[in-house]
Amino acid sequence: MLPGAPGGGGAGGRGLLRWLGLRLWSRRGTLLFALLWFGSWLFLNGLVLVHRSIMSDFCTDDKSRKILQRLCLDFRRGALSGDLCDDLCVGGLVEYQRCLYYENGKKVMEARWRGNRVILKSKLENFSSYEPLGLLDYQEAGEQLSALDVVFYATLEVRNSLGLAEEEEEGGRNGSLWGQNLKLREKSYSRADLGSLWALLQQEEYTFLRVLQDLSPHVAQVLGSCGHFYAVEFLSAGHAWDQNLFSMDEASAPRAPGSGGWSSRLMVHQVALSFMDLVQHFDNDFTHRLHLCDVKPENFGIRKDLTVVAIDVDMAFFEPKMRDILEQNCSSDDDCNFFDCWSRCEPGRHRCSPNRRNTNLQVICEKIFRPWFSPTLLGAKAGLPLQVELQRAVQDCSETDGGADDEGAARRVHQRLLAVLRALLQEEVAPEDRKWTKDEPEHVHTALNF
């Protein structure tokens, strides 16, 4: 008999309510269980996706070796070429050492090439990830491009990558990009040659370094390439956690025969002078000013002679491209800050000014010189007259807006800081060793034309 059937009385009524309650609880329980199961499924899948995303850019030796194995597989089947390929894939003269970092798809590794340490880089992991050269689709079978055609198309791509207008580059120096090899090469270029060249030209950093390495001592040298990977010189990079920012252990600064060598502070002042030379060079020695929008110790290295070198130039732009980047819609000055390159919001236009407000030197003073020359690190020497003057000069440099609106102020700050650093260098070097100090190089103006 069902609960609540005739004859059940009051007990039957209570039984009916209990039965209905169990049915309702069962339905709620089922719904809650389903919701919990669905929520758990979403959480676990999200966790897997996040894990895959993180791990995809996680730097491992195993993954790096597999990337290079795929590179060599493409080389053996004739898909790519380069002056590094034979040594890497056939002769065994390129020895993988370690993975340095993966970041936003960019792969950076350390290797030894014929006994010398080098850095291998590529913006993307696989050769097939780069856009192919469309011009090859219009070629007939067996037809090949001449060296002159290659120079022409490469130059167009470089202009586009660097943001340089065509009319500003006429009458150019193609040799500054490719040397004379392209012009003098007798044989034509294969599809593997052209595909590899095109993959390299799609990497702004490669283009930048390749263009500037013959024009400036302050950029890393490109030593060779294989497909989409290119090798640059190995340099001791800076570290934000190091009180000296750069390790001076491997440096071999000029020194007098029989002298006891240079102190760490002395080498710091020499490196600071090289930073000043880099700023002067990037501001004045090209057709267009070169802006550094990501200034941090990790993006610079030093050679054994203490020359400062820009080793990561993903965020470096010539003036025309810098103006295009800065000139955006805005409601306040905060909207006009592009990493370390700042502009002002023009109230009437609600557009950021295309003129950069701060300077390369100002940012270097703030992020490099201030940590170096702080009273805490100087210790007992912090109260010496020249050290006090240096701290004041660095402070003024960090706070002076000396962009296009007031280049005179920037020039005065630069000269003052340069004078103090030179005086400190001469003061710390023994008189008999002063002829061995490294004076700031004199640069001849070189127009960036190609």
Side-chain angles (χ1 to χ4, degrees):
M1 183 174 64
L2 289 174
R14 287 193 296 273
L16 176 63
L17 290 175
R18 190 180 302 110
W19 180 75
L20 290 174
L22 288 171
R23 294 290 300 271
L24 289 173
W25 181 90
S26 176
R27 290 178 181 176
R28 282 201 202 97
T30 302
L31 181 61
L32 285 173
F33 177 78
L35 288 174
L36 284 172
W37 181 88
F38 183 67
S40 300
W41 181 84
L42 284 178
F43 174 77
L44 290 174
N45 276 274
L47 197 62
V48 169
L49 288 174
V50 169
H51 180 264
R52 286 178 179 174
S53 176
I54 293 174
M55 293 302 292
S56 66
D57 259 10
F58 188 70
C59 192
T60 67
D61 288 334
D62 182 59
K63 184 173 182 179
S64 296
R65 291 181 189 278
K66 289 179 179 178
I67 290 172
L68 295 181
Q69 287 171 2
R70 287 197 297 272
L71 178 71
C72 287
L73 185 63
D74 286 339
F75 168 66
R76 293 189 186 99
R77 66 183 182 84
L80 53 84
S81 67
D83 52 4
L84 185 68
C85 290
D86 279 330
D87 284 354
L88 174 65
C89 304
V90 180
L93 298 177
V94 178
E95 301 175 17
Y96 171 84
Q97 297 293 305
R98 61 188 175 119
C99 178
L100 295 180
Y101 66 88
Y102 298 163
E103 185 176 348
N104 298 324
K106 185 177 181 179
K107 313 301 179 188
V108 183
M109 315 167 193
E110 182 184 339
R112 281 192 175 272
W113 184 13
R114 296 178 179 266
N116 297 315
R117 297 168 78 182
V118 298
I119 302 298
L120 298 177
K121 289 185 173 185
S122 177
K123 186 177 180 179
L124 300 175
E125 180 175 321
N126 298 312
F127 184 69
S128 59
S129 299
Y130 289 91
E131 180 183 345
L133 179 58
L135 185 65
L136 295 176
D137 296 336
Y138 299 95
Q139 280 187 279
E140 297 180 2
E143 184 182 0
Q144 293 182 319
L145 290 176
S146 68
L148 187 60
D149 290 331
V150 175
V151 170
F152 175 74
Y153 288 111
T155 301
L156 290 180
E157 180 64 19
V158 169
R159 287 173 180 161
N160 178 63
S161 176
L162 300 184
L164 300 175
E166 183 174 348
E167 61 272 13
E168 293 169 341
E169 308 304 329
E170 292 178 354
R173 296 167 45 175
N174 290 304
S176 69
L177 176 58
W178 308 113
Q180 294 301 314
N181 291 333
L182 280 178
K183 291 184 178 180
L184 300 179
R185 182 170 174 174
E186 294 180 359
K187 68 175 184 177
S188 299
Y189 288 82
S190 67
R191 284 179 171 264
D193 293 335
L194 294 174
S196 300
L197 172 62
W198 204 245
L200 291 170
L201 289 179
Q202 291 174 56
Q203 303 180 60
E204 293 84 355
E205 183 176 73
Y206 171 85
T207 303
F208 218 98
L209 295 176
R210 195 67 184 86
V211 168
L212 292 185
Q213 68 176 20
D214 295 331
L215 304 176
S216 173
H218 294 292
V219 295
Q221 295 285 303
V222 177
L223 304 176
S225 64
C226 180
H228 57 303
F229 270 89
Y230 57 98
V232 298
E233 62 177 316
F234 181 91
L235 294 168
S236 177
H239 302 285
W241 45 262
D242 190 338
Q243 67 175 12
N244 285 327
L245 299 187
F246 295 95
S247 173
M248 306 295 179
D249 296 339
E250 298 181 8
S252 56
R255 60 192 68 187
S259 70
W262 284 26
S263 69
S264 177
R265 293 312 302 173
L266 194 61
M267 287 194 284
V268 165
H269 292 145
Q270 186 66 64
V271 172
L273 280 172
S274 188
F275 263 112
M276 300 293 290
D277 182 59
L278 176 147
V279 169
Q280 180 72 13
H281 190 45
F282 286 2
D283 281 354
N284 301 297
D285 286 357
F286 305 131
T287 302
H288 299 290
R289 177 169 293 177
L290 179 57
H291 297 272
L292 302 177
C293 294
D294 188 14
V295 174
K296 56 187 178 184
E298 295 85 347
N299 288 347
F300 297 94
I302 54 172
R303 293 195 178 101
K304 290 186 176 181
D305 65 353
L306 301 181
T307 297
V308 173
V309 178
I311 59 176
D312 190 331
V313 290
D314 284 336
M315 297 290 288
F317 308 98
F318 284 110
E319 183 74 26
K321 196 166 186 176
M322 185 80 263
R323 294 174 68 89
D324 288 341
I325 291 172
L326 290 177
E327 196 171 19
Q328 305 295 328
N329 293 329
C330 63
S331 57
S332 68
D333 287 348
D334 291 339
D335 298 330
C336 302
N337 294 344
F338 182 76
F339 295 89
D340 290 328
C341 295
W342 306 340
S343 178
R344 285 191 175 91
C345 186
E346 298 177 349
R349 298 174 59 231
H350 294 289
R351 297 275 289 178
C352 298
S353 170
N355 297 319
R356 184 182 174 186
R357 185 179 73 191
N358 60 347
T359 65
N360 289 333
L361 180 59
Q362 183 179 355
V363 182
I364 286 173
C365 282
E366 176 65 30
K367 293 193 169 184
I368 304 293
F369 289 172
R370 263 189 169 176
W372 262 353
F373 306 125
S374 67
T376 304
L377 292 183
L378 288 172
K381 291 187 175 182
L384 298 177
L386 275 178
Q387 295 290 356
V388 172
E389 177 61 21
L390 176 61
Q391 293 166 42
R392 289 174 178 169
V394 169
Q395 178 75 17
D396 291 344
C397 173
S398 303
E399 297 175 354
T400 301
D401 284 350
D405 297 335
D406 192 359
E407 292 192 3
R411 195 177 302 112
R412 288 190 296 273
V413 168
H414 186 280
Q415 291 172 348
R416 177 187 176 193
L417 195 51
L418 192 61
V420 177
L421 284 170
R422 283 175 170 168
L424 274 167
L425 192 65
Q426 291 299 315
E427 183 183 71
E428 294 190 22
V429 177
E432 63 272 17
D433 293 343
R434 285 180 184 172
K435 63 181 179 179
W436 295 88
T437 59
K438 186 181 176 187
D439 295 329
E440 184 185 23
E442 294 294 333
H443 285 299
V444 177
H445 179 83
T446 53
L448 179 58
N449 291 318
F450 46 86

